[in-house]
Amino acid sequence: MSDTGKIATAELGDGGPRVGVQGLGCMGISEFYGDTDEAAARDTLEAALEAGVTLFDTADVYGSGANETFLAPFVGAHRDEITLATKFAIERSETDPNHRAVRNDPAYIRQAVEASLRRLGTDVIDLYYMHRRDPLVPLADSVGAMADLVREGKVKQLGLSEVTGAELRQAHAVHPIAALQSEWSLFSRDVEHSAVPAAVELGVALVPYSPLGRGFLTGAFADAGKELSEGDFRRNQPRFSGENAKTNAALLEPVHKIAAAHGATAAQIALAWVQQRALVHGLTVVPIPGTRKRSRLLENAAATRLTLTERELDALEPIAGQVAGDRYPDMSSTATARE
């Protein structure tokens, strides 16, 4: 299935900006998925905008700030054309590359936003997310601090990532939340337990990350431990190696069958499924697949024009319930751990 022009748009939360119905996750440009050709990655950013992709998603933790710095020239050149999203909450250490800590305290939030604004070379962030929740910090304190940033003009809209439905309602009562970013794909449907119903009720948009199952749903690899480079973090993800990978690869058979019927790729079927969650649940859905290649970007964007039949959706329905392995080696910072 080929690209045929710009993608459609949708409103990002009640009263939020209109964005392309598919965004671009920029994490892999700077870290986690092996070496990057920076010239090709910059070309991909331009290709995204040409295709109607206007939501560009980063975070301060990606490359320890390097991803925000990389995006700065693109942001500066197209500031009025794009919706810029970044995140705070995952603290890293300059001396210990394995250190991760979740910080939601107001002092840290203010420190983080100033650093992100500086790296991005902008005076305002369109959508500012809490990347992960620290249950020891009152949610009202964290969202209250984020709301202060809106009042000061440093942030336009607020978002949360990996929160439960109850947490989303609690946060929304402090300040309107425009978007919830959580993992959502044919392999990962935890978000449907409580967060999706709450988002529908509150008018919050869903921004699914890893809608391609970190590439596994595309068929690009069948065993991360054997096929991916040493620096690729997917080698340590429970779903992608050993017996789990073997089990999960077999689950892709209906995806490939449906793709053949549409003259599409497996990736396009997986993305079309995510996009159609908007109709299934009655809310705005803007997935953010990541890629560093123009060709993949155009392939992904074309999936927004693909509609799956009820029979095809039925064939894909059982997949998530049969997936072997957790989403992360440590699930303690995810919404699932607090459901």
Side-chain angles (χ1 to χ4, degrees):
M1 182 179 178
S2 61
D3 177 69
T4 57
K6 289 197 173 187
I7 64 176
T9 63
E11 188 175 75
L12 197 64
D14 284 348
R18 290 201 72 81
V19 298
V21 293
Q22 185 181 109
L24 179 64
C26 299
M27 180 183 80
I29 293 173
S30 299
E31 197 176 11
F32 303 111
Y33 293 117
D35 295 337
T36 291
D37 179 332
E38 290 197 358
R42 293 198 183 282
D43 179 62
T44 300
L45 296 176
E46 297 292 343
L49 194 54
E50 293 165 10
V53 172
T54 58
L55 176 63
F56 292 83
D57 183 271
T58 182
D60 59 5
V61 72
Y62 302 157
S64 297
N67 196 243
E68 291 179 325
T69 300
F70 177 85
L71 288 175
F74 176 76
V75 171
H78 301 288
R79 192 65 192 92
D80 295 336
E81 303 169 75
I82 68 171
T83 296
L84 176 64
T86 192
K87 316 178 198 72
F88 74 89
I90 303 178
E91 182 183 55
R92 297 179 72 167
S93 168
E94 294 182 2
T95 58
D96 180 1
N98 296 316
H99 172 79
R100 301 288 189 277
V102 176
R103 294 279 304 274
N104 290 173
D105 55 282
Y108 180 78
I109 293 171
R110 183 160 293 280
Q111 172 189 328
V113 76
E114 295 295 347
S116 287
L117 287 167
R118 183 173 62 252
R119 285 189 294 262
L120 289 163
T122 187
D123 58 2
V124 63
I125 293 164
D126 298 315
L127 177 58
Y128 198 44
Y129 287 103
M130 179 190 295
H131 206 163
R132 291 292 185 270
R133 169 90 204 281
D134 177 2
L136 298 180
V137 177
L139 191 55
D141 290 355
S142 303
V143 178
M146 295 169 72
D148 287 341
L149 302 179
V150 176
R151 285 188 284 272
E152 294 168 15
K154 295 180 180 181
V155 170
K156 291 183 180 179
Q157 304 279 341
L158 301 185
L160 301 173
S161 180
E162 287 286 352
V163 296
T164 67
E167 290 168 338
L168 180 59
R169 290 186 180 92
Q170 183 183 349
H172 197 78
V174 176
H175 187 280
I177 302 299
L180 168 62
Q181 184 174 138
S182 288
E183 187 166 356
W184 202 5
S185 74
L186 281 168
F187 268 22
S188 302
R189 298 180 62 176
D190 310 14
V191 71
E192 296 174 23
H193 295 161
S194 71
V196 166
V200 172
E201 171 191 323
L202 300 170
V204 176
L206 256 291
V207 179
Y209 73 81
S210 297
L212 294 174
R214 296 179 175 81
F216 196 87
L217 285 164
T218 71
F221 66 95
D223 190 322
K226 296 178 180 178
E227 299 176 48
L228 301 182
S229 66
E230 288 292 337
D232 196 309
F233 92 115
R234 292 172 292 183
R235 290 170 60 92
N236 299 316
Q237 302 302 102
R239 292 182 171 177
F240 304 142
S241 296
E243 287 302 310
N244 284 351
K246 184 177 180 181
T247 296
N248 295 336
L251 297 176
L252 298 181
E253 182 180 352
V255 179
H256 291 298
K257 183 178 179 180
I258 294 168
H262 282 272
T265 65
Q268 289 174 325
I269 299 306
L271 287 172
W273 181 89
V274 175
Q275 299 279 179
Q276 279 183 244
R277 299 302 91 191
L279 297 176
V280 172
H281 294 281
L283 78 170
T284 298
V285 177
V286 183
I288 49 170
T291 183
R292 297 169 285 186
K293 297 180 180 179
R294 174 181 280 262
S295 60
R296 294 301 186 199
L297 184 284
L298 297 177
E299 175 186 331
N300 292 345
T304 65
R305 288 176 282 274
L306 177 60
T307 301
L308 304 179
T309 67
E310 286 299 320
R311 179 174 293 183
E312 290 166 342
L313 292 173
D314 288 344
L316 298 171
E317 182 66 22
I319 291 176
Q322 302 174 56
V323 171
D326 284 333
R327 296 194 279 130
Y328 295 100
D330 178 2
M331 292 284 287
S332 62
S333 291
T334 68
T336 305
R338 301 190 302 279
E339 287 284 2

